[in-house]
Structures are given as structure tokens and as C-alpha cells.
Amino acid sequence: MSEPVTIRQVAAAAGVSPATVSRVLAGSPRVDAGLAARTLAAVDELGYRANRVAQALRTRSTGTVGMVVPNIANPFFPIVIQAVEKELRQHGARLLLCDSGDDVAEEAELISSLLDHRIDGILLSPCDRRASQDALRRAAAQVPVVQVDRFALKDFDYVGVHQEDAMGLVVAHLIEQGCRTFTYVTSNLAASTAAERHRAYVRAVRDIDSYSERRVHEGDHSLAWGQEAARQILEEGDLPDAIVCASDLVAVGVLDRLRGLGIDVPNDVLVTGFDATVLARVAWPSLTSVRQPLEEIGKLAVQVVLETERSSRVGRTWLLPAELIIGDSTKKIHELPSQARSKKTGKKSIRQAVPKS
Amino acid sequence: MSEPVTIRQVAAAAGVSPATVSRVLAGSPRVDAGLAARTLAAVDELGYRANRVAQALRTRSTGTVGMVVPNIANPFFPIVIQAVEKELRQHGARLLLCDSGDDVAEEAELISSLLDHRIDGILLSPCDRRASQDALRRAAAQVPVVQVDRFALKDFDYVGVHQEDAMGLVVAHLIEQGCRTFTYVTSNLAASTAAERHRAYVRAVRDIDSYSERRVHEGDHSLAWGQEAARQILEEGDLPDAIVCASDLVAVGVLDRLRGLGIDVPNDVLVTGFDATVLARVAWPSLTSVRQPLEEIGKLAVQVVLETERSSRVGRTWLLPAELIIGDSTKKIHELPSQARSKKTGKKSIRQAVPKS
DNA sequence: CTGTCGCGAGAGAACGATTTCTCGCGGGGG
DNA sequence: CCCCCGCGAGAAATCGTTCTCTCGCGACAG
């Protein structure tokens, strides 16, 4: 309806030049006090607010940061996004949010589009640690880029947690609980986090005496995939002592399926998640999971991206500490070998009740 | 590092004027085929992409839409946001996302900031159905505004679901299950959705024979509030037949607390949620809840905001159908009066075991 | 043969800010 | 007394587009 006020109108109203209005608003040191007062009065009177588009064109800074995440619906990301948005606001900046849907081509297009919009920086959670490299490099040639949570190239800034250590905590805990056989349910290994977690899992588990190679299941971060993975595990044969999942979302899917088949967690099998989202708390039994400091990750990523000069490409890495959250899904009473054996029998009889589909 | 290519450089390379380059790229009808080919070659050669900031300044359209939501962390919103972002992309537009944190002042500031950025429209989920009105009106004076999920003013466009009908479904279901006494746990009634749900609840419940006014608990949409509300309910006296919650987040908090105190859902008390988020599926027992067509809401809101002329202020309303999702939290075996009485006794003895804090 | 009309493309004016450059005025020093 | 320097504020260029306006050329008609 109403056209916004321009700086010329303010200048006219105050009887000064547009340049002076700009100077006053920028807090330029040497302006006559009388003029300043007059212009401020006019600004107030007319309700003037600078057009940030024009500002951006002139100053080459939009006060805007782009963020590309693989999937907003994964409860992991909203927390990071919230922290990012909050920290950006502290710096007077706004967030352009994009969901790549875990698709490399989409991701590349979104990045190009963000560059077209002349964002001041990009926060990227690359969906594919190799296929996303090109887009990442292209972006970094234009603006500061910080990789968040996931990464694709070591020679660009990265904020996240040491996934291998974190997964190490999980497996160590399970071993401490007496587990000797494991199955891993992962999401797509193209994501750096998934790859690192998997690597750490393999490393931690291959030294266990009774370890035998178990099939690794690969799907996406979804409830449906967790359910499907549980079905596959049951079809394969004996239940392992523990099912280690790459995310809470997958783990709750697994839990759901196991429960549907009458398999008890943690008494028949232990299950772990990852990310310590609200799902882990709400699930029954509550999930043992790994809490990553999501707020800190988001906040730090913003600070890094805003404070990086466009020229300095350092490839710094910030690794924040993760924390094991122990839930009911791994609170098993320690068993003697004989008990463990009878447990297996019990599981087998359950398995036979499962209809092959 | 590298400065982006400008239209002048393309023009120079192609031996034409900037105007012609612009025309060619815009697909203007009458341009010489030879020139067009040359410019396209130059565009390709130099990898030219138009500066959307300059474009925006000239055309008065940024290809950007702002969205302000009360709390990204509530699993309800990411789904809407995802749909919004997806639909915007279909139209070549980007999303500026803001989290008001359910704070009216923040919300107002965010809206002003979005207007400064000359977004092409605003999607707003007003945190307070009265206090947000001013900001809403101010925004609507500048750009098309669509209220999403929550609303503050009837005379501006709104996309959501008929909350009263939806809550009606819940209560009707509970009555069908034999419930006669209820307690309602709501979030802050400043949100229009919360207010409507509450109103519908009161209306549906006041005609039940044995209905007696029960305390309504008010807090925010959080797990913690659900836990606290459950504690309060237990302190009050007899358990009701059903606890009706204003959102899944609150309901899972209630469930968690009840479970901690050894109260069985649904056998001791029925519990319902709202929103049918992933939490409702994951919870144990799975929650009876109301599914709102979140994707459709997001998609429609975008279509409305993008197709609305800046001048036309109609105050249209789109109400999409909601659906009752019945979970295990209300699957009660119908009881005879005598059984119901013994149930109450059982509850009382449980209550006595609750430590007063 | 000449005047006019139409079409295609370049020149240039916006868009609304910031910022450099320039100019005028006042004061101080030679 | 005059010149120069410095400071404060306005004029104007600039950012990179789009789009109107104008101009030139060719063709067709009178």
C-alpha cells in the first residue's frame, strides 16, 4: 500500500543533503549537532528505515547468511538452525535457509542461487562428502564458507564434533554392558558424519573377541528405514547383543519394529541412537544416545563465517566435545554366560514367529 | 576471491550493449538471432549470473519471502518450513527464516527487519493473537502477508485448519471410549490455535453429564511443561478419565511423568496429543493425536502470498481438513461402572505414593 | 526519388543507498 | 593584510541491473 520513505525525502524534510542523512545515521564523527538533531527528527517523523537492498548494492554486503542443510525434518537440524538464527540476529544478520533434500544437484543449485543473492557467507552441511566438493569450492571462491556438522573438504573451515570419539563412547559403553556381538544400522555413508561413525564403529568392534563381521545396513535418516532395518536384522538370524544406530530417528524406527514383534529392549537386545534429540528422551525405552552441543555448533559457525575475511582461506577445524547420554535402552542387568545363552534361545523362538515377507 | 562477472563485461565480450544482454536473458521477443547467440555464448563463456541485489533494486522484487515462526524446535514447524521452502523453490524464490521465540517484541522487530530487506511477502505465525496485531498490520501495509497456522486478524489472509473441529474430534473420540471426566493441559492461550482448541474443548466437555470444571493448566509447548502439568494434576486429587493436551510435545511430557510414577496409560488414564508429529508415533504408548496437513498448509500459504497483488487485501481464509490419528494412548477396553470405580481406587493409592514436592 | 514508418539496438536514466570529491568559509599564521 | 589550510556539508559518481527513450537504417508507399 504505502511506499517506503527514501533517504531523499528525509533529506528534503530536514533541509539537508542525502549524504548528511547517511552520515548522521552511520554515526559519522564530524557532523554539526544542529543538523544531526534535525535529521534525526525527520527520520523519526517520517519513520525512515534504510532500504537494505540499495545498501547492499552499494556496500557489497547484504547482512544475510545462507544455510543449506540436508533435511530440516530431522530433529537434529532445527536446533542448530535455531542457534544459528539467534546468533545471526545478535549480529544484525538474517538467515536464508535451504533444504537440499540430501540431493547433490539441488544442493549445488541452491548454493549458486545463494551466491546470486550475494549472501555474506554460507553455512553448509554437505550431503555428500565427495560429490559436494565442487559446489563447496565454487562457493568458497566467492564468500566465506563454513562446513557445519558434516564436511566435504578439510581445507575449508569446519565446525562439528569428533564423530569417531563419540561413536567410540557408544561402543565402549555397550562393551562395558557385556555386549559381544553387534549390528550396525547406518544411514547413507555419503554423509561425512555417517562415514566417520561407521569407521569408528568398525574399529571399536573388530577387536572384540567374539566379533564376527555383521551386515551393515544402509538407508536414510528416517523412521521407515529403522523399521526396515530391524526387519532385515531379524531375517538374518540370531539377534546381536546390541544394535547400534547412526541416528535417533533410525533407532526409534528400530525400537518400534522390535516392539511390534514382541522383542524386549534392553533385555533381548540393546539399542543405541545418536544425536540425543528429543526423540531419544521420548522413546520407550529412552535411548542411549550421544549429545552433540548443537547450540554451540550453530553459534560458533556463525561467528566464524561472519568474522572470516573473504580472502583468508585457512581450513580451520573446530571440534566440540560430545557426551554420552545413557538411557534405558542399554540398562541391562549383567548376565552370566549361561543366562546369555538361554536368552539367545528365547530370541530364536521369537524369530520363528516372524512371518517372512 | 574472484569478483563476479557483471553484465557490462558480458556485453563487452559479446560486442553488444548491456541492454541487449538483459533483453536476451529475459527472453525478449525481438532480438536478432545472431546477437542473441553471441551474447549467450559470452554468458556461457564468462559464467555470468545476474546480481540479484541489483536486480531487486531495479525491479522492486527480491525473489525472497520472509517467514516468522514462534519456535523452530517444536517439531510441528520444521515440516511446514520444509514445505514452504520447497514450494518457494518451485517459484524460484528463497526463504528468510526467523524464530520469534514466542516473543511479541522480537516478532515485531523481525518483521521490520524483513521489510527492510524488501521481501516479496511474509508468512507469519503470530505468537500472540492480540499483541501481534499491530506488527501484522504494519507488515500488511507494505507487502502481502499470510497468516499460517496461527492468526491474529481475520481481515488478512489465513491458512490453517479448523482447530475447533479438530479438537472436537479428540473429545468425541474420548467420550466414545467412555471417558466422563477430563483435564486439559494447554500451552499459552495467547496463541490463536491454543485459544481455539481450548474453547472447543470446553464446549465439547461441558455437556457431558458428569462433567465438572477441572483446572486448566497453562504453560508453553515443551516437554518440561508437560511433566510439570502431570505433577500438578496428580496433586489436585483424583485422576480424570482422560488428559487432553494441546500439543504432542506437552503430551509426551505428561506421558513421561505418569510413567515415572507408575501410572499406566491408557489403563489408568487416557492421554491425547495434538499435531501428530513424529513424537506421537515414537511415544510409548503411541499418542492419539490430530494430524494437520502441514505440507499442504505450507504449500498453499506460499501460493497465496506469491499470487497476491500488493494492493488486494481481502482477508481470505483457507481451512484445511484435519484428521484424528488414533494411537495406543486411548485404546482402552470399555469398562463397567464397577471396574471404573475400582480403577479409581487404584489410582488413589498410586497418588498417595507420590511425594509432595 | 523522397518522406515516413517501423523495428532493432544502444544510450542513458532510473532504483536508493554510500562515499569520494569538491567547494566554500572561517581562522590562524606569515 | 593576505594566503593557506582544514573542516563541514553538498554535488555527484557509483554499485549492477532494467527499461524507456531515442536514433539510425531499411523498406515501402506516394
Side-chain angles (χ1 to χ4, degrees), chain B residues 42-340:
Chain B
V43 164
D44 218 56
E45 170 85 20
L46 299 177
Y48 170 72
R49 305 202 104 223
N51 180 336
R52 304 222 54 177
V53 173
Q55 236 171 12
L57 180 60
R58 179 66 236 242
T59 64
R60 313 174 143 266
S61 161
T62 52
T64 282
V65 165
M67 181 170 193
V68 184
V69 299
N71 180 15
I72 308 178
N74 180 343
F76 174 91
F77 285 108
I79 311 297
V80 182
I81 293 169
Q82 194 168 42
V84 162
E85 203 267 339
K86 188 174 169 191
E87 184 67 15
L88 281 175
R89 202 179 320 169
Q90 298 278 315
H91 292 80
R94 294 280 90 81
L95 174 66
L96 271 165
L97 183 67
C98 303
D99 187 327
S100 70
D102 247 318
D103 181 294
V104 182
E106 280 291 1
E107 183 180 71
E109 266 187 52
L110 288 170
I111 289 174
S112 294
S113 169
L114 287 174
L115 292 173
D116 292 347
H117 278 91
R118 296 296 187 272
I119 32 72
D120 293 340
I122 291 185
L123 304 181
L124 175 64
S125 201
C127 48
D128 191 308
R129 70 186 198 283
R130 325 176 102 229
S132 293
Q133 293 180 356
D134 282 355
L136 173 58
R137 251 187 292 259
R138 266 194 13 249
Q142 305 252 100
V143 295
V145 174
V146 175
Q147 301 171 85
V148 182
D149 179 50
R150 307 182 179 183
F151 68 85
L153 284 168
K154 299 253 180 206
D155 39 348
F156 295 104
D157 291 345
Y158 168 62
V159 177
V161 319
H162 198 296
Q163 302 290 332
E164 308 197 10
D165 283 0
M167 182 52 85
L169 291 175
V170 171
V171 177
H173 168 68
L174 289 173
I175 291 174
E176 203 178 296
Q177 296 295 305
C179 297
R180 289 297 174 271
T181 61
F182 306 83
T183 290
Y184 191 68
V185 181
T186 183
S187 59
N188 188 336
L189 290 171
S192 69
T193 44
E196 290 194 320
R197 288 173 199 173
H198 177 236
R199 195 184 324 154
Y201 164 79
V202 170
R203 191 176 306 161
V205 140
R206 69 174 167 212
D207 294 331
I208 307 302
D209 292 12
S210 60
Y211 171 73
S212 62
E213 187 67 47
R214 308 276 310 191
R215 194 170 147 213
V216 166
H217 301 75
E218 180 170 358
D220 54 356
H221 281 295
S222 74
L223 212 79
W225 161 235
Q227 294 168 323
E228 166 62 14
R231 195 189 62 72
Q232 290 183 18
I233 292 170
L234 288 168
E235 262 186 5
E236 278 170 22
D238 283 355
L239 268 181
D241 294 335
I243 300 175
V244 181
C245 301
S247 75
D248 287 347
L249 214 41
V250 171
V252 294
V254 168
L255 283 185
D256 181 71
R257 189 60 171 240
L258 293 178
R259 185 193 301 130
L261 297 172
I263 295 174
D264 184 75
V265 176
N267 291 320
D268 292 336
V269 59
L270 277 60
V271 174
T272 63
F274 210 103
D275 293 342
T277 58
V278 65
L279 296 177
R281 296 183 56 188
V282 161
W284 184 249
S286 66
L287 272 174
T288 290
S289 192
V290 173
R291 176 180 336 269
Q292 308 184 47
L294 304 190
E295 288 89 353
E296 285 78 0
I297 290 176
K299 185 173 176 177
L300 184 54
V302 168
Q303 291 171 348
V304 171
V305 84
L306 289 184
E307 280 158 23
T308 300
E309 286 302 313
R310 266 186 67 238
S311 47
S312 62
R313 282 290 115 61
V314 202
R316 298 160 291 183
T317 294
W318 288 262
L319 289 177
L320 279 57
E323 180 193 4
L324 184 69
I325 306 289
I326 298 178
D328 296 330
S329 70
T330 62
K331 284 190 180 141
K332 188 165 78 164
I333 300 99
H334 273 67
E335 294 171 316
L336 299 174
S338 64
Q339 288 175 313

Side-chain angles (χ1 to χ4, degrees), chain A residues 188-264:
Chain A
N188 190 336
L189 289 172
S192 70
T193 43
E196 290 194 320
R197 288 174 198 172
H198 177 237
R199 195 183 323 152
Y201 164 79
V202 170
R203 190 177 305 160
V205 138
R206 70 173 166 212
D207 294 332
I208 307 303
D209 292 11
S210 61
Y211 171 74
S212 61
E213 188 68 45
R214 309 273 312 190
R215 193 168 147 213
V216 166
H217 302 74
E218 180 170 358
D220 55 356
H221 281 296
S222 73
L223 212 79
W225 160 236
Q227 294 169 324
E228 166 62 14
R231 195 188 62 72
Q232 290 182 20
I233 291 170
L234 289 167
E235 261 185 6
E236 277 170 21
D238 283 355
L239 269 181
D241 293 334
I243 300 175
V244 181
C245 301
S247 75
D248 287 348
L249 213 42
V250 171
V252 294
V254 168
L255 282 185
D256 182 72
R257 189 61 170 239
L258 293 178
R259 185 193 302 130
L261 298 171
I263 295 174
D264 184 74

